[in-house]
């Protein structure tokens, strides 16, 4: 086993526009690596687990940071720091769900450097995978977590497919709840992808967490005005109050009329490989008042279909409780 | 914390320790900050397997690389008896054990070279759980066994059979207990006092609980980096240790030189918490490599390596059967501890666990049994209150359970069982404590916490949140005797106090130096503390661990200062007439009590001491001081008036420090998270020496205890022995948001009779008091006794509240 903390050599490119970055990413293909804040990437490099030949640093590209109000809502550059998002008054006033979620990521130091794009695109925190084990996700043919002895307290309840890792992001559930759109550019042009479709499970591709392929750059995130000023709820449960990943988190956008839920989008994180939109909860709650019966029905239904591993059955009551709180306390 | 009102000029007063400025401004030089011409950087290859034999190493490709200076293997360094820590090993028994090292022009080159080295291993069976190792036919963590047999021999008074043996319980031992109860086969430690059987028969209440306490890392912020070079036959080592002089003989042994050929520099230590109390094997890697390649060598230990090599608190699988009479007095305790000892020599946590129960709860009758079993995990060593503080986590919720069952107030049951000055330690030789103000600490804390109104709120519900109230108690030994003190008064009138204790970060090296200044009547501004480098002629002193410094060093410095005082009085009598006892000290002068105008300044006296020579100048030293102190006295002889003495002040009692803590938590039963709303901690540390330092110790200890209570634990994969807590974010020490921003701390401030000014240690008990109070508070919020395990993580609380079974079986160790 090699000692850690000493990055191997790679070629570093610092392109000044997106086109140049895409050209470099195309040139290196699977051996290229786009880096933003580096809070995920650098740990991989220092551990010598991921070993790109070329690292393409996106931070020097103008226009990839900042928060802009548009006719349709809001557009946020993918390289905007999490601190800026947490502190932005427009986001705080109209889309506080995202500000709250961004403010619960990691620690202040990491939020100062980490970007929204990076937080969305970060790799899973499965500790076996992070240790450099030759698991399915790392291109091998086994899963160490989904075994009778596997230490899988943090792993998934839903949609396991050989791999049982979960999405670790706090902002991703918020963005799915806000019905955000990911703006992705590659050499073929620009395409927009609904946040809900941006994340992929192991059934689609076991070695990736998003639809991004080599040569793709996530340039910005659009948030529609549709949910501006709605009633929001975000909560993250973790072992520690800072610098920790969620055991489970929840993000909800609710349109209320009095105590009646006119519309709702509710998304749960860290229970599957993708932020899990709880459409069954939405169906139960939509059009109903926030009465105890509805809340209980919705909470109970939220975990339908969950398949527990040996050490994660607490996630079922925890998820149900968070759903309950999201509807009741929002 | 107010300064006390005793008649001291310095003791009990705040001051600015001499090393504060450098630390605050970042100018303090730690071992990895040193540089030298031509130096090489070392990287180590670590074992990927929990237990294996190295069968072949091929380093040819690495050695051929440009910039690589050499490869060092276990064959190039001394080896130590199994299962001792090795510098490098061909028989690794934990993931992360160093196999070999590469020295190169820089760390990248060294890391690249490591990847070209092929090591072949023969895999051996490994074990993480002592229960599995104790089961007939179970795997052994050491080569040749799972138990260091000397530990057993110790009980039988025969020590010829030192070595590793394979110790198994019988299948019957395992079958005899119900599921989830600790089996209790043959132990290695077994002592008792009184008659537990009849005490249990007569008890109004008997509890019988199986529990697990977590193994957690030390998280020293400064990894154990070391820098080394050789000059004129002497080996220079810059290291990170809590202790200074105490480690010299052991480090010299690791390096392979006589102690007087070792120069050891450790002016600052970025945290050790027990893991850097003594010399440790990896700090000798640069010294050996430097000798091998003829270059200064730097080993910067990484965060991950610090988790592999930086020690851990041993976990316990335990069982406590406790009997109480109707009034709440603990009349019987039958405690059994199986210690998950890690992969090297076990530390004595298990023994201290029994001592803690005997002294803190003063059971009238007690039996204690224990056994330390090796596991293929990070080597475990002392961590701040080793053994005692695990027991605080396990026992305090049981005290509440007993209180509830007997209808007694939780504070009252602790008061009823609290040790007084006649309390006795456990073990074969029961020893009286020198002083115990646990009752005072409980009462003082209860008053500051407003116990009556707080306990009335236990269980108070607000939405999903419930208030819980808890008390915790902590204890540790707090001082020993027999070490040396050394100081000199220079012809410029300055008092140089030589401190060999180390600088682990509590500033007690300085606050105990002030005891010497106090005796001499010297102003602190006129004193210089010499420390951090063996070339500064330091005396032989205890290491900085075990809550020992304040008591032990105050006594040694007192003894040296009394020696200097005697010499000053003799010089004054010689030059000004009269008898030595006609003179006293004040304002850096020795003056005639009957006529203060008749005096000699310290500066003049120092000059006279040099002229007089002999004992006055250090040319002649007492016979009973340690040889390293003799050498240091020799080094300063003739430069001033030398005060030097071994601490021979009588000490026949056990010095004990106590702490009580009170916590109010608010548990959210829907999320399993909780907030600590209020925290009060009161210490019995004898006379307060340094109020700010004391507050730092009690609060810092609380933070570590809160970590034990809520999040810190090592995890391992049972399938391959891989550790999963090798980053700060994985090992989870508490963050600033996990601890209360205000912690009310205070001390009883009553002197211990076994030391002239009454001070004793305080470093360790606040940890136990904290973990006990928090776990009790959580349990009480949930309506009673719950977990029998630490840490208590949110998933456990959610499971408890929702009626789910816990994921971890009652005896499971190393849980995520």
């Amino acid at each position: 086993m090699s000692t850690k903390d000493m990055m191997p050599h790679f070629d570093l490119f610092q392109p000044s526009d997106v086109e140049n970055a895409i050209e470099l990413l195309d040139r290196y293909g699977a051996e290229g690596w786009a880096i933003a804040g580096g809070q995920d990437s650098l740990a991989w490099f220092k551990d010598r687990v991921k070993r790109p030949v070329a690292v393409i640093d996106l931070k020097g590209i103008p226009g990839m940071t900042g928060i802009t109000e548009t006719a349709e809502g809001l557009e946020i550059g993918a390289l905007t720091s999490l601190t800026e998002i947490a502190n932005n008054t427009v986001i705080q006033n109209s889309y506080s769900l995202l500000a709250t979620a961004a403010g619960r990521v990691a620690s202040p130091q990491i939020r100062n450097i980490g970007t929204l794009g990076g937080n969305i695109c970060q790799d899973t925190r499965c500790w076996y995978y992070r240790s450099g084990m030759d698991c399915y996700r790392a291109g091998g043919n086994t899963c160490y977590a989904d075994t009778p002895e596997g230490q899988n307290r943090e792993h998934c309840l839903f949609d396991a497919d050989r791999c049982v890792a979960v999405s670790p992001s706090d902002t991703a559930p918020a963005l799915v709840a806000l019905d955000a759109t990911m703006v992705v550019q590659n050499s073929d042009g620009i395409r927009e992808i609904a946040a809900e479709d941006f994340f992929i499970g192991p059934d689609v591709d076991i070695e990736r967490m998003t639809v991004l392929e080599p040569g793709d750059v996530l340039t910005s995130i659009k948030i529609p005005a549709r949910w501006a000023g709605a009633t929001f709820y975000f909560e993250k449960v973790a072992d520690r109050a800072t610098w920790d990943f969620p055991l489970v988190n929840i993000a909800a956008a609710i349109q209320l009329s009095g105590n009646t839920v006119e519309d709702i989008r509710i998304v749960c994180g860290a229970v599957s490989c993708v932020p899990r939109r709880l459409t069954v909860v939405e169906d139960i709650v939509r059009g109903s008042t926030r009465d105890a019966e509805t809340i209980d029905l919705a909470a109970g239904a939220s975990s339908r279909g969950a398949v527990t591993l040996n050490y994660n059955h607490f996630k079922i009551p925890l998820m149900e409780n968070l759903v309950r709180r999201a509807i009741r306390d929002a | 914390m107010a300064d006390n009102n005793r008649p001291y000029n310095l003791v009990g007063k705040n001051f600015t320790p001499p090393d504060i400025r450098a630390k605050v401004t970042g100018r303090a030089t730690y071992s990895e900050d040193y540089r030298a011409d031509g130096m090489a950087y070392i990287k180590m290859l670590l074992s990927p397997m929990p237990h294996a034999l190295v069968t072949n190493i091929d380093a040819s490709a690495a050695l051929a690389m440009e910039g690589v200076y050499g490869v060092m293997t276990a064959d190039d360094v001394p080896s130590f008896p199994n299962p001792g820590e090795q510098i490098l090993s061909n028989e690794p028994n934990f993931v992360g054990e160093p196999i070999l090292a590469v020295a190169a022009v820089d760390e990248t080159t060294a890391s690249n070279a490591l990847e070209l080295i092929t090591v072949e291993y023969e895999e051996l069976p490994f074990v993480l759980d002592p229960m599995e190792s104790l089961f007939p036919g179970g795997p052994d963590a050491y080569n040749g066994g799972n138990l260091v047999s000397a530990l057993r021999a110790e009980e039988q008074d025969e020590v010829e059979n030192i070595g590793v043996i394979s110790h198994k319980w019988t299948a019957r031992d395992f079958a005899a207990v119900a599921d989830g109860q600790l089996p209790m086969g043959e132990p290695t430690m077994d002592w008792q006092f009184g008659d537990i059987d009849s005490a249990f028969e007569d008890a109004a209440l008997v509890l019988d609980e199986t529990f697990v306490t977590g193994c957690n890392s030390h998280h020293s912020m400064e990894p154990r980096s070391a820098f080394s070079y050789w000059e004129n036959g002497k080996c220079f080592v810059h290291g990170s240790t809590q202790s200074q002089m105490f480690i010299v003989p052991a480090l010299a042994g690791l390096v392979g030189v006589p102690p007087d050929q070792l120069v050891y520099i450790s002016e600052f230590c970025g945290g050790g918490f027990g893991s850097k109390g003594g010399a440790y094997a990896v700090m000798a890697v640069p010294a050996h490599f430097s000798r091998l390649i003829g270059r200064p060598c730097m080993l910067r230990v990484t965060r991950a390596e610090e988790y592999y090599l930086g020690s851990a608190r041993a976990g316990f699988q335990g069982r406590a059967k406790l009997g109480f009479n109707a009034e709440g007095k603990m009349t019987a305790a039958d405690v059994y501890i199986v210690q998950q000892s890690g992969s090297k020599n076990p530390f004595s946590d298990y023994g201290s666990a029994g001592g803690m129960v005997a002294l803190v709860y003063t059971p009238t009758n007690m039996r204690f049994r224990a056994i330390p079993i090796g596991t293929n995990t990070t080597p475990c060593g002392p961590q701040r209150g080793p053994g005692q503080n695990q027991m605080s986590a396990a026992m305090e919720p049981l005290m509440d359970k007993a209180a509830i069952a007997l209808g007694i107030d939780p504070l009252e049951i602790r008061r009823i069982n609290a040790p007084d000055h006649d309390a006795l330690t456990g073990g074969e030789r029961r020893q009286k404590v020198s002083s115990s103000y646990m009752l005072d600490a409980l009462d003082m804390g209860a008053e500051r916490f407003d116990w009556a109104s707080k306990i009335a709120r236990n269980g108070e519900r607000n939405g999903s949140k419930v208030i819980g109230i808890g008390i915790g108690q902590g204890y540790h030994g707090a001082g020993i005797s027999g070490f040396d003190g050394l100081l000199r008064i220079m012809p410029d009138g300055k008092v140089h106090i030589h401190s060999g204790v180390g600088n682990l970060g509590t500033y007690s090296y300085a606050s105990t130096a002030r005891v010497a200044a106090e005796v001499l009547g010297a102003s602190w501004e006129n004193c210089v503390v010499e420390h951090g480098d063996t070339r500064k002629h330091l005396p032989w002193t205890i290491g900085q661990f075990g809550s020992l410094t304040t008591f032990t060093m105050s006594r040694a410095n007192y003894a040296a200062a009394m020696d200097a005082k005697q010499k000053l009085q003799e010089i004054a009598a010689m030059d000004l007439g009269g008898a030595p006892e006609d003179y006293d000290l004040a304002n850096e002068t020795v003056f005639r009590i009957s006529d203060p105008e008749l005096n000699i300044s310290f500066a003049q006296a120092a000059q006279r001491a040099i002229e007089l020579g002999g004992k006055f100048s250090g040319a002649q030293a007492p016979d009973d001081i340690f040889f390293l102190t003799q050498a240091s006295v020799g080094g300063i002889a003739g430069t001033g008036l030398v005060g030097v003495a071994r601490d021979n002040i009588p000490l026949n009692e056990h010095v004990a420090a106590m702490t009580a803590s009170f916590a109010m938590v608010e548990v959210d039963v829907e999320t399993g998270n909780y907030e600590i709303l209020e925290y009060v901690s009161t210490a019995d540390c004898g006379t307060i020496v340094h109020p700010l330092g004391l507050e730092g110790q009690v609060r810092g200890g609380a933070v570590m205890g809160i970590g034990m209570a809520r999040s810190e634990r090592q995890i391992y994969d049972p399938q391959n022995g891989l550790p999963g807590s090798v980053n700060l974010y994985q090992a989870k020490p508490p963050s600033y948001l996990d601890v209360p921003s205000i912690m009310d701390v205070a001390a009883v401030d009553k002197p211990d009779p076994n030391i002239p000014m009454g001070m004793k240690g305080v470093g360790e008990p606040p940890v136990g008091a904290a973990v006990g109070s928090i776990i009790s508070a959580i349990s009480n919020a949930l309506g009673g006794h719950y977990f029998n395990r630490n840490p208590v993580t949110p998933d456990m609380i959610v499971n408890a509240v929702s009626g789910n079974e816990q994921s971890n079986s009652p005896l499971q160790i190393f849980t995520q």
Side-chain angles (χ1 to χ4, degrees), chain B residues 278-527:
Chain B
Y280 43 84
V282 73
M283 72 190 294
V285 166
H288 285 285
F289 225 146
S290 179
R291 180 156 51 190
L292 205 63
I293 63 173
R295 289 174 180 272
C297 286
M298 171 69 81
L299 174 68
R300 295 197 315 146
V301 165
T302 68
R303 179 56 52 194
E305 286 167 339
E306 184 63 22
Y307 277 112
Y308 297 132
L309 306 172
S311 195
R313 181 188 291 278
F316 286 166
Q317 292 161 316
R319 189 161 165 187
K321 185 177 174 189
L322 308 173
F324 296 84
N325 68 17
E327 289 72 47
K329 176 63 208 158
M330 191 188 287
T331 50
D334 186 3
V335 178
Y336 199 119
I337 297 293
V338 179
Q339 173 169 307
Q340 160 270 309
S341 291
S343 48
K344 301 300 176 187
N345 275 319
F347 194 71
S348 54
D349 296 53
Y350 62 102
S352 303
M356 186 275 185
V357 175
L359 193 49
V360 175
Y361 306 105
T362 61
T364 329
N365 305 279
M366 179 170 174
R367 179 179 192 189
F368 180 71
R369 288 169 291 173
I371 186 167
I373 294 296
T375 51
N376 296 105
T377 57
T378 291
C380 290
Q383 182 184 110
R384 205 167 177 179
Q388 295 91 351
N389 290 341
Q390 288 97 311
M391 291 314 286
S392 293
M395 289 290 294
E396 289 295 315
L398 302 184
M399 294 304 285
D400 284 347
K401 187 170 193 168
I404 292 166
L406 293 166
I408 299 171
D409 177 80
L411 171 63
E412 198 49 37
I413 199 169
R414 288 169 172 88
R415 293 184 82 257
I416 288 167
N417 291 289
D420 59 19
H421 303 313
D422 297 323
L424 301 176
T425 62
E428 297 292 341
R429 288 180 294 270
R430 304 198 71 192
Q431 200 180 12
K432 193 186 95 62
V433 292
S434 61
S435 65
S436 165
Y437 290 97
M438 181 66 103
L439 196 57
D440 300 63
L442 284 165
D443 289 344
M444 188 181 201
E447 194 189 331
R448 296 175 82 102
F449 186 67
D450 193 3
W451 171 257
S453 77
K454 292 287 164 44
I455 191 65
R457 292 186 60 192
N458 186 65
E460 180 183 298
R461 180 118 186 189
N462 177 18
S464 60
K465 293 179 176 173
V466 192
I467 296 287
I469 306 295
I471 305 178
Q473 299 169 99
Y475 141 76
H476 197 273
I480 54 175
S481 64
F483 290 86
D484 301 334
L486 176 63
L487 60 85
R488 60 176 156 161
I489 301 169
M490 304 287 279
D492 63 1
K494 295 266 186 202
V495 179
H496 290 243
I497 300 152
H498 294 237
S499 172
V501 74
N503 182 11
L504 91 167
T506 62
Y507 307 111
S508 54
Y509 79 96
S511 56
T512 55
R514 285 160 65 84
V515 170
E518 183 81 52
V519 171
L520 294 173
S523 70
W524 184 238
E525 292 66 33
N526 198 43
C527 294

Side-chain angles (χ1 to χ4, degrees), chain A residues 123-130 135-147 152 154-167 200-209 271-274 307 309 312:
Chain A
D123 212 339
T124 183
R125 287 280 155 184
C126 168
W127 76 270
Y128 292 101
Y129 173 57
R130 287 274 163 179
C135 68
Y136 286 120
R137 187 166 288 280
N141 62 356
T142 189
C143 171
Y144 296 90
D146 188 11
T147 63
N152 49 34
E154 293 158 5
H155 290 75
C156 77
L157 291 178
F158 301 98
D159 302 326
D161 186 337
R162 294 158 292 154
C163 174
V164 292
V166 296
S167 159
I200 57 174
D203 54 331
V204 178
D205 188 334
I206 205 164
E207 295 184 27
R208 288 186 292 155
M209 303 282 286
V271 293
S272 70
C273 192
V274 303
V307 178
L309 305 165
N312 73 349

Side-chain angles (χ1 to χ4, degrees), chain A residues 1 3-4 6 48 51 125 128 133 144 147 151 153 238-242 244 311 313 321 325 328, chain B residues 46 107 112 115 302 305 464 668 670 673 717 719-720 729 732-733 735 738 794-795 805 812 816:
Chain A
M1 188 168 67
T3 180
K4 296 191 176 191
M6 199 43 58
R48 296 190 167 215
R51 311 185 64 136
R125 287 280 155 184
Y128 292 101
M133 303 291 279
Y144 296 90
T147 63
Q151 292 295 301
R153 182 185 71 132
D239 290 328
R240 298 196 297 177
T242 188
D244 210 345
Y311 295 99
H313 65 230
N321 288 342
R325 287 155 83 92
R328 183 188 69 202
Chain B
L46 311 176
E107 289 175 327
N112 293 343
E115 295 186 330
T302 68
E305 286 167 339
S464 60
D668 192 319
E670 290 180 341
N673 275 148
D717 180 45
Q719 303 159 104
N720 51 37
Y729 85 84
K732 308 195 189 209
S735 76
D738 299 306
D795 53 301
E805 237 185 271
Q812 196 169 336
Q816 192 179 20

Side-chain angles (χ1 to χ4, degrees), chain B residues 770-783:
Chain B
V771 61
S773 69
I774 302 299
I775 292 195
S776 295
I778 300 165
S779 304
N780 292 336
L782 301 179

Side-chain angles (χ1 to χ4, degrees), chain A:
Chain A
M1 188 168 67
S2 109
T3 180
K4 296 191 176 191
D5 268 13
M6 199 43 58
M7 278 187 265
H9 171 86
F10 50 74
D11 290 336
L12 177 67
F13 294 91
Q14 297 184 301
S16 55
D17 57 50
V18 179
E19 289 69 26
N20 191 226
I22 290 167
E23 188 192 317
L24 287 160
L25 287 166
D26 279 341
R27 190 195 305 168
Y28 286 96
E31 297 192 312
W33 184 289
I35 189 172
Q39 299 304 287
D40 189 8
S41 305
L42 295 176
W44 279 123
F45 301 166
K46 285 157 83 174
D47 288 354
R48 296 190 167 215
V49 175
K50 306 280 186 188
R51 311 185 64 136
V53 170
V55 172
I56 294 94
D57 178 5
L58 305 175
K59 284 194 298 294
I61 300 175
M64 276 185 69
T65 57
I67 298 155
T68 317
E69 286 184 89
T70 65
E72 293 80 35
L74 213 57
E75 183 159 5
I76 303 171
L79 296 189
T80 307
S81 78
L82 293 160
T83 297
E84 190 177 341
I85 287 162
N87 294 342
N88 181 275
T89 45
V90 176
I91 299 180
Q92 283 176 345
N93 290 337
S94 301
Y95 309 95
S96 63
L97 182 62
L98 180 59
T100 308
R104 287 289 281 116
V105 173
S107 65
Q109 295 89 336
I110 291 171
R111 294 197 291 271
N112 288 341
I113 301 292
T115 66
L116 180 60
N119 190 259
I120 297 164
C121 297
Q122 68 179 309
D123 212 339
T124 183
R125 287 280 155 184
C126 168
W127 76 270
Y128 292 101
Y129 173 57
R130 287 274 163 179
S131 299
M133 303 291 279
D134 57 342
C135 68
Y136 286 120
R137 187 166 288 280
N141 62 356
T142 189
C143 171
Y144 296 90
D146 188 11
T147 63
E149 291 190 298
Q151 292 295 301
N152 49 34
R153 182 185 71 132
E154 293 158 5
H155 290 75
C156 77
L157 291 178
F158 301 98
D159 302 326
D161 186 337
R162 294 158 292 154
C163 174
V164 292
V166 296
S167 159
S169 174
D170 291 317
T171 59
L175 290 171
V176 175
L178 289 167
D179 202 7
T181 302
M182 308 297 176
V183 182
V184 176
Q185 194 172 338
N186 64 17
S187 52
D188 294 333
I190 295 172
R191 65 189 199 278
E192 296 195 355
I193 303 155
E196 202 177 340
D197 302 325
F198 182 76
F199 303 96
I200 57 174
D203 54 331
V204 178
D205 188 334
I206 205 164
E207 295 184 27
R208 288 186 292 155
M209 303 282 286
T210 71
V211 298
L212 294 181
E213 295 198 55
D216 284 343
V217 174
L218 172 67
T219 57
S220 68
I221 295 98
K222 289 182 176 174
I223 301 178
R226 166 76 183 80
W227 293 93
T231 301
F232 297 122
Y233 191 89
F234 181 86
E235 188 165 13
K236 169 184 183 174
V237 175
D239 290 328
R240 298 196 297 177
T242 188
W243 198 15
D244 210 345
F245 293 92
L247 292 167
V248 178
N249 60 19
I250 195 94
I254 306 173
Q255 212 138 38
L256 284 174
S257 171
N259 200 33
T260 301
V261 176
E262 301 231 302
D263 202 359
I264 179 171
R265 286 174 68 94
I266 183 165
V267 184
C268 192
V271 293
S272 70
C273 192
V274 303
R276 179 175 176 83
R277 187 170 166 201
L278 306 175
T279 49
V280 62
V281 171
E282 295 172 5
D283 289 346
I284 291 169
V285 172
R286 195 180 292 114
S288 174
T289 60
R290 295 194 287 175
D291 53 82
E293 187 194 351
T294 305
I295 290 168
D296 281 346
L297 281 175
S302 66
S303 62
R304 219 185 137 101
V307 178
T308 57
L309 305 165
N310 272 355
Y311 295 99
N312 73 349
H313 65 230
F314 75 97
K315 285 194 176 186
I316 290 180
L318 180 54
M319 174 183 186
E320 292 176 355
N321 288 342
L322 290 181
V323 167
R324 178 173 286 114
R325 287 155 83 92
I327 300 165
R328 183 188 69 202
D329 302 340

Side-chain angles (χ1 to χ4, degrees), chain B residues 115-131:
Chain B
E115 295 186 330
L116 298 182
I117 296 175
T118 317
V119 181
E120 288 165 32
Y121 302 92
E122 180 190 328
E123 284 189 60
L124 297 174
F126 73 93
V127 66
L128 304 178
D129 183 345
M131 289 300 120

